[in-house]
Amino acid sequence: MNQITEIVDKQLKAYNLLDFETFSSCYHKNIASYDIESGSCLSHMCGESFFAHYEKKFKENTQIHCKVIQRMVYSNLVVDKEYITAFKGKNHHEMVIYLVEDELISKMWFTKEMEEEN
């Protein structure tokens, strides 16, 4: 495992444990999030709003779990296809790209929730 994947794996483990403090420590305080398809900034998922979003998400979805289905690593980018269960009572796949800089996740790109595959 390299330094780039270590921080992404650390945040994933904390996500699954609903450990907001450890999860938050994996991200740059000015984290920026974007929609993969449009490239537009997701303002509710940047900076302090990002941390508030996840704190609320963990409190409201106490059974949430994320499993990495596929991963590709290139330079300081980690591209994960993830399977999320028990989010708002549903399961879905999504693609997330993590940019790691100075040992923290500084930017993320998300797909919209993808339908569960049969």
Side-chain angles (χ1 to χ4, degrees), residues 93-118:
H93 288 93
E94 63 185 31
M95 187 75 63
V96 182
I97 302 171
Y98 301 90
L99 176 66
V100 179
E101 298 178 303
D102 300 322
E103 300 179 20
L104 293 173
I105 300 167
S106 61
K107 293 183 182 175
M108 298 170 69
W109 291 263
F110 293 89
T111 59
K112 294 183 178 136
E113 295 174 9
M114 296 182 272
E115 294 296 318
E116 185 170 0
E117 297 172 356
N118 296 324

mmCIF file with all atom_site columns, all heavy atoms in Angstrom, residues 93-118:
data_model
loop_
_atom_site.group_PDB
_atom_site.id
_atom_site.type_symbol
_atom_site.label_atom_id
_atom_site.label_alt_id
_atom_site.label_comp_id
_atom_site.label_asym_id
_atom_site.label_entity_id
_atom_site.label_seq_id
_atom_site.pdbx_PDB_ins_code
_atom_site.Cartn_x
_atom_site.Cartn_y
_atom_site.Cartn_z
_atom_site.occupancy
_atom_site.B_iso_or_equiv
_atom_site.pdbx_formal_charge
_atom_site.auth_seq_id
_atom_site.auth_comp_id
_atom_site.auth_asym_id
_atom_site.auth_atom_id
_atom_site.pdbx_PDB_model_num
ATOM 1   N N   . HIS A 1 93  ? -24.353 2.173  -6.333  1.00 0.00 ? 93  HIS A N   1
ATOM 2   C CA  . HIS A 1 93  ? -22.951 2.283  -6.731  1.00 0.00 ? 93  HIS A CA  1
ATOM 3   C C   . HIS A 1 93  ? -22.660 3.742  -7.028  1.00 0.00 ? 93  HIS A C   1
ATOM 4   O O   . HIS A 1 93  ? -23.556 4.486  -7.432  1.00 0.00 ? 93  HIS A O   1
ATOM 5   C CB  . HIS A 1 93  ? -22.672 1.484  -8.014  1.00 0.00 ? 93  HIS A CB  1
ATOM 6   C CG  . HIS A 1 93  ? -22.676 0.020  -7.809  1.00 0.00 ? 93  HIS A CG  1
ATOM 7   N ND1 . HIS A 1 93  ? -23.796 -0.756 -7.994  1.00 0.00 ? 93  HIS A ND1 1
ATOM 8   C CD2 . HIS A 1 93  ? -21.694 -0.831 -7.439  1.00 0.00 ? 93  HIS A CD2 1
ATOM 9   C CE1 . HIS A 1 93  ? -23.507 -2.014 -7.760  1.00 0.00 ? 93  HIS A CE1 1
ATOM 10  N NE2 . HIS A 1 93  ? -22.236 -2.092 -7.421  1.00 0.00 ? 93  HIS A NE2 1
ATOM 11  N N   . GLU A 1 94  ? -21.414 4.131  -6.864  1.00 0.00 ? 94  GLU A N   1
ATOM 12  C CA  . GLU A 1 94  ? -20.978 5.436  -7.325  1.00 0.00 ? 94  GLU A CA  1
ATOM 13  C C   . GLU A 1 94  ? -19.486 5.381  -7.618  1.00 0.00 ? 94  GLU A C   1
ATOM 14  O O   . GLU A 1 94  ? -18.776 4.496  -7.122  1.00 0.00 ? 94  GLU A O   1
ATOM 15  C CB  . GLU A 1 94  ? -21.308 6.562  -6.348  1.00 0.00 ? 94  GLU A CB  1
ATOM 16  C CG  . GLU A 1 94  ? -20.663 6.492  -4.997  1.00 0.00 ? 94  GLU A CG  1
ATOM 17  C CD  . GLU A 1 94  ? -21.160 7.599  -4.065  1.00 0.00 ? 94  GLU A CD  1
ATOM 18  O OE1 . GLU A 1 94  ? -22.314 8.021  -4.175  1.00 0.00 ? 94  GLU A OE1 1
ATOM 19  O OE2 . GLU A 1 94  ? -20.373 8.027  -3.222  1.00 0.00 ? 94  GLU A OE2 1
ATOM 20  N N   . MET A 1 95  ? -19.041 6.300  -8.433  1.00 0.00 ? 95  MET A N   1
ATOM 21  C CA  . MET A 1 95  ? -17.628 6.432  -8.766  1.00 0.00 ? 95  MET A CA  1
ATOM 22  C C   . MET A 1 95  ? -17.123 7.685  -8.072  1.00 0.00 ? 95  MET A C   1
ATOM 23  O O   . MET A 1 95  ? -17.774 8.734  -8.119  1.00 0.00 ? 95  MET A O   1
ATOM 24  C CB  . MET A 1 95  ? -17.463 6.573  -10.272 1.00 0.00 ? 95  MET A CB  1
ATOM 25  C CG  . MET A 1 95  ? -16.034 6.562  -10.738 1.00 0.00 ? 95  MET A CG  1
ATOM 26  S SD  . MET A 1 95  ? -15.288 4.927  -10.714 1.00 0.00 ? 95  MET A SD  1
ATOM 27  C CE  . MET A 1 95  ? -16.287 4.055  -11.899 1.00 0.00 ? 95  MET A CE  1
ATOM 28  N N   . VAL A 1 96  ? -15.973 7.564  -7.416  1.00 0.00 ? 96  VAL A N   1
ATOM 29  C CA  . VAL A 1 96  ? -15.379 8.702  -6.723  1.00 0.00 ? 96  VAL A CA  1
ATOM 30  C C   . VAL A 1 96  ? -13.895 8.773  -7.093  1.00 0.00 ? 96  VAL A C   1
ATOM 31  O O   . VAL A 1 96  ? -13.198 7.755  -7.093  1.00 0.00 ? 96  VAL A O   1
ATOM 32  C CB  . VAL A 1 96  ? -15.509 8.577  -5.184  1.00 0.00 ? 96  VAL A CB  1
ATOM 33  C CG1 . VAL A 1 96  ? -14.928 9.805  -4.495  1.00 0.00 ? 96  VAL A CG1 1
ATOM 34  C CG2 . VAL A 1 96  ? -16.941 8.351  -4.767  1.00 0.00 ? 96  VAL A CG2 1
ATOM 35  N N   . ILE A 1 97  ? -13.445 9.967  -7.410  1.00 0.00 ? 97  ILE A N   1
ATOM 36  C CA  . ILE A 1 97  ? -12.028 10.215 -7.667  1.00 0.00 ? 97  ILE A CA  1
ATOM 37  C C   . ILE A 1 97  ? -11.512 11.078 -6.525  1.00 0.00 ? 97  ILE A C   1
ATOM 38  O O   . ILE A 1 97  ? -12.088 12.122 -6.216  1.00 0.00 ? 97  ILE A O   1
ATOM 39  C CB  . ILE A 1 97  ? -11.808 10.934 -9.008  1.00 0.00 ? 97  ILE A CB  1
ATOM 40  C CG1 . ILE A 1 97  ? -12.398 10.114 -10.155 1.00 0.00 ? 97  ILE A CG1 1
ATOM 41  C CG2 . ILE A 1 97  ? -10.316 11.219 -9.219  1.00 0.00 ? 97  ILE A CG2 1
ATOM 42  C CD1 . ILE A 1 97  ? -12.424 10.862 -11.485 1.00 0.00 ? 97  ILE A CD1 1
ATOM 43  N N   . TYR A 1 98  ? -10.447 10.622 -5.911  1.00 0.00 ? 98  TYR A N   1
ATOM 44  C CA  . TYR A 1 98  ? -9.823  11.349 -4.794  1.00 0.00 ? 98  TYR A CA  1
ATOM 45  C C   . TYR A 1 98  ? -8.484  11.910 -5.267  1.00 0.00 ? 98  TYR A C   1
ATOM 46  O O   . TYR A 1 98  ? -7.664  11.172 -5.810  1.00 0.00 ? 98  TYR A O   1
ATOM 47  C CB  . TYR A 1 98  ? -9.537  10.406 -3.627  1.00 0.00 ? 98  TYR A CB  1
ATOM 48  C CG  . TYR A 1 98  ? -10.736 9.690  -3.064  1.00 0.00 ? 98  TYR A CG  1
ATOM 49  C CD1 . TYR A 1 98  ? -11.129 8.447  -3.558  1.00 0.00 ? 98  TYR A CD1 1
ATOM 50  C CD2 . TYR A 1 98  ? -11.460 10.231 -2.013  1.00 0.00 ? 98  TYR A CD2 1
ATOM 51  C CE1 . TYR A 1 98  ? -12.216 7.769  -3.023  1.00 0.00 ? 98  TYR A CE1 1
ATOM 52  C CE2 . TYR A 1 98  ? -12.551 9.564  -1.470  1.00 0.00 ? 98  TYR A CE2 1
ATOM 53  C CZ  . TYR A 1 98  ? -12.928 8.331  -1.985  1.00 0.00 ? 98  TYR A CZ  1
ATOM 54  O OH  . TYR A 1 98  ? -13.999 7.663  -1.446  1.00 0.00 ? 98  TYR A OH  1
ATOM 55  N N   . LEU A 1 99  ? -8.254  13.182 -5.040  1.00 0.00 ? 99  LEU A N   1
ATOM 56  C CA  . LEU A 1 99  ? -6.947  13.796 -5.289  1.00 0.00 ? 99  LEU A CA  1
ATOM 57  C C   . LEU A 1 99  ? -6.264  13.969 -3.943  1.00 0.00 ? 99  LEU A C   1
ATOM 58  O O   . LEU A 1 99  ? -6.816  14.602 -3.030  1.00 0.00 ? 99  LEU A O   1
ATOM 59  C CB  . LEU A 1 99  ? -7.093  15.153 -5.975  1.00 0.00 ? 99  LEU A CB  1
ATOM 60  C CG  . LEU A 1 99  ? -5.792  15.937 -6.192  1.00 0.00 ? 99  LEU A CG  1
ATOM 61  C CD1 . LEU A 1 99  ? -4.877  15.209 -7.171  1.00 0.00 ? 99  LEU A CD1 1
ATOM 62  C CD2 . LEU A 1 99  ? -6.090  17.339 -6.679  1.00 0.00 ? 99  LEU A CD2 1
ATOM 63  N N   . VAL A 1 100 ? -5.088  13.374 -3.803  1.00 0.00 ? 100 VAL A N   1
ATOM 64  C CA  . VAL A 1 100 ? -4.353  13.431 -2.542  1.00 0.00 ? 100 VAL A CA  1
ATOM 65  C C   . VAL A 1 100 ? -3.153  14.361 -2.720  1.00 0.00 ? 100 VAL A C   1
ATOM 66  O O   . VAL A 1 100 ? -2.341  14.178 -3.623  1.00 0.00 ? 100 VAL A O   1
ATOM 67  C CB  . VAL A 1 100 ? -3.888  12.019 -2.118  1.00 0.00 ? 100 VAL A CB  1
ATOM 68  C CG1 . VAL A 1 100 ? -3.090  12.093 -0.819  1.00 0.00 ? 100 VAL A CG1 1
ATOM 69  C CG2 . VAL A 1 100 ? -5.088  11.084 -1.971  1.00 0.00 ? 100 VAL A CG2 1
ATOM 70  N N   . GLU A 1 101 ? -3.097  15.358 -1.847  1.00 0.00 ? 101 GLU A N   1
ATOM 71  C CA  . GLU A 1 101 ? -1.992  16.314 -1.842  1.00 0.00 ? 101 GLU A CA  1
ATOM 72  C C   . GLU A 1 101 ? -1.556  16.527 -0.403  1.00 0.00 ? 101 GLU A C   1
ATOM 73  O O   . GLU A 1 101 ? -2.405  16.688 0.481   1.00 0.00 ? 101 GLU A O   1
ATOM 74  C CB  . GLU A 1 101 ? -2.424  17.653 -2.452  1.00 0.00 ? 101 GLU A CB  1
ATOM 75  C CG  . GLU A 1 101 ? -2.839  17.546 -3.909  1.00 0.00 ? 101 GLU A CG  1
ATOM 76  C CD  . GLU A 1 101 ? -3.314  18.862 -4.473  1.00 0.00 ? 101 GLU A CD  1
ATOM 77  O OE1 . GLU A 1 101 ? -4.272  19.454 -3.900  1.00 0.00 ? 101 GLU A OE1 1
ATOM 78  O OE2 . GLU A 1 101 ? -2.732  19.292 -5.469  1.00 0.00 ? 101 GLU A OE2 1
ATOM 79  N N   . ASP A 1 102 ? -0.256  16.505 -0.165  1.00 0.00 ? 102 ASP A N   1
ATOM 80  C CA  . ASP A 1 102 ? 0.288   16.705 1.187   1.00 0.00 ? 102 ASP A CA  1
ATOM 81  C C   . ASP A 1 102 ? -0.352  15.760 2.203   1.00 0.00 ? 102 ASP A C   1
ATOM 82  O O   . ASP A 1 102 ? -0.707  16.154 3.311   1.00 0.00 ? 102 ASP A O   1
ATOM 83  C CB  . ASP A 1 102 ? 0.132   18.166 1.631   1.00 0.00 ? 102 ASP A CB  1
ATOM 84  C CG  . ASP A 1 102 ? 0.858   19.125 0.711   1.00 0.00 ? 102 ASP A CG  1
ATOM 85  O OD1 . ASP A 1 102 ? 1.972   18.773 0.253   1.00 0.00 ? 102 ASP A OD1 1
ATOM 86  O OD2 . ASP A 1 102 ? 0.307   20.208 0.434   1.00 0.00 ? 102 ASP A OD2 1
ATOM 87  N N   . GLU A 1 103 ? -0.554  14.503 1.764   1.00 0.00 ? 103 GLU A N   1
ATOM 88  C CA  . GLU A 1 103 ? -1.064  13.428 2.613   1.00 0.00 ? 103 GLU A CA  1
ATOM 89  C C   . GLU A 1 103 ? -2.500  13.625 3.086   1.00 0.00 ? 103 GLU A C   1
ATOM 90  O O   . GLU A 1 103 ? -2.941  12.993 4.051   1.00 0.00 ? 103 GLU A O   1
ATOM 91  C CB  . GLU A 1 103 ? -0.125  13.181 3.795   1.00 0.00 ? 103 GLU A CB  1
ATOM 92  C CG  . GLU A 1 103 ? 1.274   12.773 3.350   1.00 0.00 ? 103 GLU A CG  1
ATOM 93  C CD  . GLU A 1 103 ? 2.233   12.549 4.495   1.00 0.00 ? 103 GLU A CD  1
ATOM 94  O OE1 . GLU A 1 103 ? 1.780   12.324 5.632   1.00 0.00 ? 103 GLU A OE1 1
ATOM 95  O OE2 . GLU A 1 103 ? 3.449   12.610 4.243   1.00 0.00 ? 103 GLU A OE2 1
ATOM 96  N N   . LEU A 1 104 ? -3.256  14.505 2.410   1.00 0.00 ? 104 LEU A N   1
ATOM 97  C CA  . LEU A 1 104 ? -4.672  14.703 2.705   1.00 0.00 ? 104 LEU A CA  1
ATOM 98  C C   . LEU A 1 104 ? -5.459  14.688 1.398   1.00 0.00 ? 104 LEU A C   1
ATOM 99  O O   . LEU A 1 104 ? -4.927  15.024 0.338   1.00 0.00 ? 104 LEU A O   1
ATOM 100 C CB  . LEU A 1 104 ? -4.913  16.043 3.403   1.00 0.00 ? 104 LEU A CB  1
ATOM 101 C CG  . LEU A 1 104 ? -4.361  16.198 4.806   1.00 0.00 ? 104 LEU A CG  1
ATOM 102 C CD1 . LEU A 1 104 ? -4.536  17.639 5.276   1.00 0.00 ? 104 LEU A CD1 1
ATOM 103 C CD2 . LEU A 1 104 ? -5.032  15.236 5.773   1.00 0.00 ? 104 LEU A CD2 1
ATOM 104 N N   . ILE A 1 105 ? -6.722  14.337 1.483   1.00 0.00 ? 105 ILE A N   1
ATOM 105 C CA  . ILE A 1 105 ? -7.594  14.399 0.316   1.00 0.00 ? 105 ILE A CA  1
ATOM 106 C C   . ILE A 1 105 ? -7.987  15.862 0.137   1.00 0.00 ? 105 ILE A C   1
ATOM 107 O O   . ILE A 1 105 ? -8.579  16.473 1.034   1.00 0.00 ? 105 ILE A O   1
ATOM 108 C CB  . ILE A 1 105 ? -8.829  13.506 0.500   1.00 0.00 ? 105 ILE A CB  1
ATOM 109 C CG1 . ILE A 1 105 ? -8.389  12.046 0.694   1.00 0.00 ? 105 ILE A CG1 1
ATOM 110 C CG2 . ILE A 1 105 ? -9.779  13.644 -0.692  1.00 0.00 ? 105 ILE A CG2 1
ATOM 111 C CD1 . ILE A 1 105 ? -9.483  11.131 1.195   1.00 0.00 ? 105 ILE A CD1 1
ATOM 112 N N   . SER A 1 106 ? -7.646  16.435 -1.021  1.00 0.00 ? 106 SER A N   1
ATOM 113 C CA  . SER A 1 106 ? -7.890  17.864 -1.233  1.00 0.00 ? 106 SER A CA  1
ATOM 114 C C   . SER A 1 106 ? -9.044  18.128 -2.200  1.00 0.00 ? 106 SER A C   1
ATOM 115 O O   . SER A 1 106 ? -9.672  19.185 -2.132  1.00 0.00 ? 106 SER A O   1
ATOM 116 C CB  . SER A 1 106 ? -6.637  18.561 -1.749  1.00 0.00 ? 106 SER A CB  1
ATOM 117 O OG  . SER A 1 106 ? -6.238  18.007 -2.986  1.00 0.00 ? 106 SER A OG  1
ATOM 118 N N   . LYS A 1 107 ? -9.302  17.175 -3.103  1.00 0.00 ? 107 LYS A N   1
ATOM 119 C CA  . LYS A 1 107 ? -10.416 17.323 -4.048  1.00 0.00 ? 107 LYS A CA  1
ATOM 120 C C   . LYS A 1 107 ? -11.033 15.960 -4.303  1.00 0.00 ? 107 LYS A C   1
ATOM 121 O O   . LYS A 1 107 ? -10.347 14.936 -4.232  1.00 0.00 ? 107 LYS A O   1
ATOM 122 C CB  . LYS A 1 107 ? -9.938  17.906 -5.386  1.00 0.00 ? 107 LYS A CB  1
ATOM 123 C CG  . LYS A 1 107 ? -9.470  19.335 -5.286  1.00 0.00 ? 107 LYS A CG  1
ATOM 124 C CD  . LYS A 1 107 ? -9.073  19.880 -6.642  1.00 0.00 ? 107 LYS A CD  1
ATOM 125 C CE  . LYS A 1 107 ? -8.551  21.313 -6.471  1.00 0.00 ? 107 LYS A CE  1
ATOM 126 N NZ  . LYS A 1 107 ? -8.037  21.858 -7.709  1.00 0.00 ? 107 LYS A NZ  1
ATOM 127 N N   . MET A 1 108 ? -12.334 15.994 -4.619  1.00 0.00 ? 108 MET A N   1
ATOM 128 C CA  . MET A 1 108 ? -13.066 14.773 -4.958  1.00 0.00 ? 108 MET A CA  1
ATOM 129 C C   . MET A 1 108 ? -14.003 15.064 -6.113  1.00 0.00 ? 108 MET A C   1
ATOM 130 O O   . MET A 1 108 ? -14.537 16.171 -6.214  1.00 0.00 ? 108 MET A O   1
ATOM 131 C CB  . MET A 1 108 ? -13.883 14.290 -3.751  1.00 0.00 ? 108 MET A CB  1
ATOM 132 C CG  . MET A 1 108 ? -13.055 13.925 -2.550  1.00 0.00 ? 108 MET A CG  1
ATOM 133 S SD  . MET A 1 108 ? -14.072 13.631 -1.084  1.00 0.00 ? 108 MET A SD  1
ATOM 134 C CE  . MET A 1 108 ? -14.882 12.127 -1.529  1.00 0.00 ? 108 MET A CE  1
ATOM 135 N N   . TRP A 1 109 ? -14.191 14.057 -6.934  1.00 0.00 ? 109 TRP A N   1
ATOM 136 C CA  . TRP A 1 109 ? -15.172 14.120 -8.018  1.00 0.00 ? 109 TRP A CA  1
ATOM 137 C C   . TRP A 1 109 ? -16.112 12.944 -7.832  1.00 0.00 ? 109 TRP A C   1
ATOM 138 O O   . TRP A 1 109 ? -15.671 11.821 -7.601  1.00 0.00 ? 109 TRP A O   1
ATOM 139 C CB  . TRP A 1 109 ? -14.487 14.028 -9.377  1.00 0.00 ? 109 TRP A CB  1
ATOM 140 C CG  . TRP A 1 109 ? -13.667 15.220 -9.723  1.00 0.00 ? 109 TRP A CG  1
ATOM 141 C CD1 . TRP A 1 109 ? -14.061 16.275 -10.497 1.00 0.00 ? 109 TRP A CD1 1
ATOM 142 C CD2 . TRP A 1 109 ? -12.317 15.512 -9.335  1.00 0.00 ? 109 TRP A CD2 1
ATOM 143 N NE1 . TRP A 1 109 ? -13.038 17.193 -10.600 1.00 0.00 ? 109 TRP A NE1 1
ATOM 144 C CE2 . TRP A 1 109 ? -11.951 16.748 -9.903  1.00 0.00 ? 109 TRP A CE2 1
ATOM 145 C CE3 . TRP A 1 109 ? -11.368 14.833 -8.556  1.00 0.00 ? 109 TRP A CE3 1
ATOM 146 C CZ2 . TRP A 1 109 ? -10.699 17.319 -9.720  1.00 0.00 ? 109 TRP A CZ2 1
ATOM 147 C CZ3 . TRP A 1 109 ? -10.113 15.394 -8.367  1.00 0.00 ? 109 TRP A CZ3 1
ATOM 148 C CH2 . TRP A 1 109 ? -9.799  16.627 -8.950  1.00 0.00 ? 109 TRP A CH2 1
ATOM 149 N N   . PHE A 1 110 ? -17.417 13.209 -7.937  1.00 0.00 ? 110 PHE A N   1
ATOM 150 C CA  . PHE A 1 110 ? -18.437 12.186 -7.719  1.00 0.00 ? 110 PHE A CA  1
ATOM 151 C C   . PHE A 1 110 ? -19.303 12.005 -8.955  1.00 0.00 ? 110 PHE A C   1
ATOM 152 O O   . PHE A 1 110 ? -19.615 12.980 -9.640  1.00 0.00 ? 110 PHE A O   1
ATOM 153 C CB  . PHE A 1 110 ? -19.419 12.619 -6.602  1.00 0.00 ? 110 PHE A CB  1
ATOM 154 C CG  . PHE A 1 110 ? -18.825 12.696 -5.239  1.00 0.00 ? 110 PHE A CG  1
ATOM 155 C CD1 . PHE A 1 110 ? -18.240 13.873 -4.780  1.00 0.00 ? 110 PHE A CD1 1
ATOM 156 C CD2 . PHE A 1 110 ? -18.887 11.620 -4.386  1.00 0.00 ? 110 PHE A CD2 1
ATOM 157 C CE1 . PHE A 1 110 ? -17.719 13.967 -3.507  1.00 0.00 ? 110 PHE A CE1 1
ATOM 158 C CE2 . PHE A 1 110 ? -18.364 11.703 -3.105  1.00 0.00 ? 110 PHE A CE2 1
ATOM 159 C CZ  . PHE A 1 110 ? -17.785 12.874 -2.666  1.00 0.00 ? 110 PHE A CZ  1
ATOM 160 N N   . THR A 1 111 ? -19.744 10.765 -9.160  1.00 0.00 ? 111 THR A N   1
ATOM 161 C CA  . THR A 1 111 ? -20.844 10.541 -10.099 1.00 0.00 ? 111 THR A CA  1
ATOM 162 C C   . THR A 1 111 ? -22.130 10.667 -9.298  1.00 0.00 ? 111 THR A C   1
ATOM 163 O O   . THR A 1 111 ? -22.114 10.621 -8.065  1.00 0.00 ? 111 THR A O   1
ATOM 164 C CB  . THR A 1 111 ? -20.811 9.116  -10.691 1.00 0.00 ? 111 THR A CB  1
ATOM 165 O OG1 . THR A 1 111 ? -20.890 8.171  -9.619  1.00 0.00 ? 111 THR A OG1 1
ATOM 166 C CG2 . THR A 1 111 ? -19.596 8.884  -11.544 1.00 0.00 ? 111 THR A CG2 1
ATOM 167 N N   . LYS A 1 112 ? -23.217 10.801 -9.996  1.00 0.00 ? 112 LYS A N   1
ATOM 168 C CA  . LYS A 1 112 ? -24.509 10.682 -9.329  1.00 0.00 ? 112 LYS A CA  1
ATOM 169 C C   . LYS A 1 112 ? -24.666 9.230  -8.927  1.00 0.00 ? 112 LYS A C   1
ATOM 170 O O   . LYS A 1 112 ? -24.000 8.343  -9.463  1.00 0.00 ? 112 LYS A O   1
ATOM 171 C CB  . LYS A 1 112 ? -25.635 11.095 -10.282 1.00 0.00 ? 112 LYS A CB  1
ATOM 172 C CG  . LYS A 1 112 ? -25.562 12.563 -10.637 1.00 0.00 ? 112 LYS A CG  1
ATOM 173 C CD  . LYS A 1 112 ? -26.712 12.962 -11.504 1.00 0.00 ? 112 LYS A CD  1
ATOM 174 C CE  . LYS A 1 112 ? -26.599 14.452 -11.764 1.00 0.00 ? 112 LYS A CE  1
ATOM 175 N NZ  . LYS A 1 112 ? -26.848 14.804 -13.138 1.00 0.00 ? 112 LYS A NZ  1
ATOM 176 N N   . GLU A 1 113 ? -25.557 8.983  -7.991  1.00 0.00 ? 113 GLU A N   1
ATOM 177 C CA  . GLU A 1 113 ? -25.797 7.598  -7.572  1.00 0.00 ? 113 GLU A CA  1
ATOM 178 C C   . GLU A 1 113 ? -26.187 6.785  -8.792  1.00 0.00 ? 113 GLU A C   1
ATOM 179 O O   . GLU A 1 113 ? -27.041 7.183  -9.574  1.00 0.00 ? 113 GLU A O   1
ATOM 180 C CB  . GLU A 1 113 ? -26.908 7.543  -6.529  1.00 0.00 ? 113 GLU A CB  1
ATOM 181 C CG  . GLU A 1 113 ? -26.538 8.232  -5.239  1.00 0.00 ? 113 GLU A CG  1
ATOM 182 C CD  . GLU A 1 113 ? -27.709 8.301  -4.270  1.00 0.00 ? 113 GLU A CD  1
ATOM 183 O OE1 . GLU A 1 113 ? -28.742 7.671  -4.523  1.00 0.00 ? 113 GLU A OE1 1
ATOM 184 O OE2 . GLU A 1 113 ? -27.561 8.987  -3.245  1.00 0.00 ? 113 GLU A OE2 1
ATOM 185 N N   . MET A 1 114 ? -25.536 5.630  -8.949  1.00 0.00 ? 114 MET A N   1
ATOM 186 C CA  . MET A 1 114 ? -25.857 4.738  -10.041 1.00 0.00 ? 114 MET A CA  1
ATOM 187 C C   . MET A 1 114 ? -26.788 3.659  -9.526  1.00 0.00 ? 114 MET A C   1
ATOM 188 O O   . MET A 1 114 ? -26.667 3.233  -8.370  1.00 0.00 ? 114 MET A O   1
ATOM 189 C CB  . MET A 1 114 ? -24.581 4.109  -10.609 1.00 0.00 ? 114 MET A CB  1
ATOM 190 C CG  . MET A 1 114 ? -23.632 5.120  -11.231 1.00 0.00 ? 114 MET A CG  1
ATOM 191 S SD  . MET A 1 114 ? -22.173 4.341  -11.936 1.00 0.00 ? 114 MET A SD  1
ATOM 192 C CE  . MET A 1 114 ? -21.093 4.292  -10.509 1.00 0.00 ? 114 MET A CE  1
ATOM 193 N N   . GLU A 1 115 ? -27.700 3.234  -10.353 1.00 0.00 ? 115 GLU A N   1
ATOM 194 C CA  . GLU A 1 115 ? -28.634 2.181  -9.955  1.00 0.00 ? 115 GLU A CA  1
ATOM 195 C C   . GLU A 1 115 ? -27.866 0.937  -9.541  1.00 0.00 ? 115 GLU A C   1
ATOM 196 O O   . GLU A 1 115 ? -26.803 0.630  -10.078 1.00 0.00 ? 115 GLU A O   1
ATOM 197 C CB  . GLU A 1 115 ? -29.573 1.835  -11.109 1.00 0.00 ? 115 GLU A CB  1
ATOM 198 C CG  . GLU A 1 115 ? -30.522 2.971  -11.479 1.00 0.00 ? 115 GLU A CG  1
ATOM 199 C CD  . GLU A 1 115 ? -31.486 3.303  -10.360 1.00 0.00 ? 115 GLU A CD  1
ATOM 200 O OE1 . GLU A 1 115 ? -32.017 2.371  -9.715  1.00 0.00 ? 115 GLU A OE1 1
ATOM 201 O OE2 . GLU A 1 115 ? -31.724 4.493  -10.123 1.00 0.00 ? 115 GLU A OE2 1
ATOM 202 N N   . GLU A 1 116 ? -28.447 0.221  -8.609  1.00 0.00 ? 116 GLU A N   1
ATOM 203 C CA  . GLU A 1 116 ? -27.838 -1.031 -8.176  1.00 0.00 ? 116 GLU A CA  1
ATOM 204 C C   . GLU A 1 116 ? -27.843 -2.005 -9.350  1.00 0.00 ? 116 GLU A C   1
ATOM 205 O O   . GLU A 1 116 ? -28.844 -2.151 -10.050 1.00 0.00 ? 116 GLU A O   1
ATOM 206 C CB  . GLU A 1 116 ? -28.615 -1.615 -7.000  1.00 0.00 ? 116 GLU A CB  1
ATOM 207 C CG  . GLU A 1 116 ? -27.984 -2.842 -6.437  1.00 0.00 ? 116 GLU A CG  1
ATOM 208 C CD  . GLU A 1 116 ? -28.607 -3.287 -5.138  1.00 0.00 ? 116 GLU A CD  1
ATOM 209 O OE1 . GLU A 1 116 ? -29.546 -2.633 -4.650  1.00 0.00 ? 116 GLU A OE1 1
ATOM 210 O OE2 . GLU A 1 116 ? -28.148 -4.301 -4.622  1.00 0.00 ? 116 GLU A OE2 1
ATOM 211 N N   . GLU A 1 117 ? -26.690 -2.633 -9.584  1.00 0.00 ? 117 GLU A N   1
ATOM 212 C CA  . GLU A 1 117 ? -26.576 -3.579 -10.692 1.00 0.00 ? 117 GLU A CA  1
ATOM 213 C C   . GLU A 1 117 ? -27.083 -4.927 -10.275 1.00 0.00 ? 117 GLU A C   1
ATOM 214 O O   . GLU A 1 117 ? -26.907 -5.362 -9.140  1.00 0.00 ? 117 GLU A O   1
ATOM 215 C CB  . GLU A 1 117 ? -25.119 -3.671 -11.151 1.00 0.00 ? 117 GLU A CB  1
ATOM 216 C CG  . GLU A 1 117 ? -24.605 -2.366 -11.694 1.00 0.00 ? 117 GLU A CG  1
ATOM 217 C CD  . GLU A 1 117 ? -23.121 -2.388 -11.972 1.00 0.00 ? 117 GLU A CD  1
ATOM 218 O OE1 . GLU A 1 117 ? -22.454 -3.397 -11.677 1.00 0.00 ? 117 GLU A OE1 1
ATOM 219 O OE2 . GLU A 1 117 ? -22.617 -1.381 -12.496 1.00 0.00 ? 117 GLU A OE2 1
ATOM 220 N N   . ASN A 1 118 ? -27.734 -5.626 -11.196 1.00 0.00 ? 118 ASN A N   1
ATOM 221 C CA  . ASN A 1 118 ? -28.237 -6.977 -10.910 1.00 0.00 ? 118 ASN A CA  1
ATOM 222 C C   . ASN A 1 118 ? -27.221 -8.025 -11.282 1.00 0.00 ? 118 ASN A C   1
ATOM 223 O O   . ASN A 1 118 ? -26.449 -7.907 -12.129 1.00 0.00 ? 118 ASN A O   1
ATOM 224 C CB  . ASN A 1 118 ? -29.533 -7.232 -11.679 1.00 0.00 ? 118 ASN A CB  1
ATOM 225 C CG  . ASN A 1 118 ? -30.631 -6.297 -11.207 1.00 0.00 ? 118 ASN A CG  1
ATOM 226 O OD1 . ASN A 1 118 ? -30.703 -5.982 -10.029 1.00 0.00 ? 118 ASN A OD1 1
ATOM 227 N ND2 . ASN A 1 118 ? -31.462 -5.874 -12.108 1.00 0.00 ? 118 ASN A ND2 1
#
